Amino acid sequence: FTKTNYIYLIAGFVLILIGFFLMAGGGSDDPTVFSDAIFSTRRLSVSPVVILAGYGVILYAIMKKTRE
């Protein structure tokens, strides 16, 4: 690996962490009360796309060939 590979690898891990932070929350403090916040667009659509983008960046970082 070169320095650019490691930069892409770290960027992919950061994207995955951001995606999981976007997915967190939405629960209710009272277990007898249902909260509709768990069905938000951020949790159901945006977060999985960000996580998959992170995995794609990591795959690119692993497969990227260096020029010699």
Side-chain angles (χ1 to χ4, degrees):
F1 277 178
T2 62
K3 184 178 178 180
T4 38
N5 292 82
Y6 284 115
I7 290 172
Y8 283 128
L9 197 64
I10 291 170
F13 282 127
V14 168
L15 275 176
I16 290 173
L17 285 176
I18 289 171
F20 278 115
F21 280 125
L22 287 174
M23 197 181 297
S28 176
D29 294 332
D30 185 11
T32 60
V33 177
F34 181 74
S35 174
D36 283 334
I38 61 172
F39 298 117
S40 70
T41 305
R42 182 188 70 174
R43 288 184 182 88
L44 290 178
S45 301
V46 176
S47 175
V49 169
V50 171
I51 292 171
L52 287 176
Y55 283 126
V57 170
I58 289 176
L59 182 65
Y60 177 75
I62 292 171
M63 301 298 285
K64 184 178 181 312
K65 276 190 160 185
T66 57
R67 293 187 178 167
E68 296 183 69

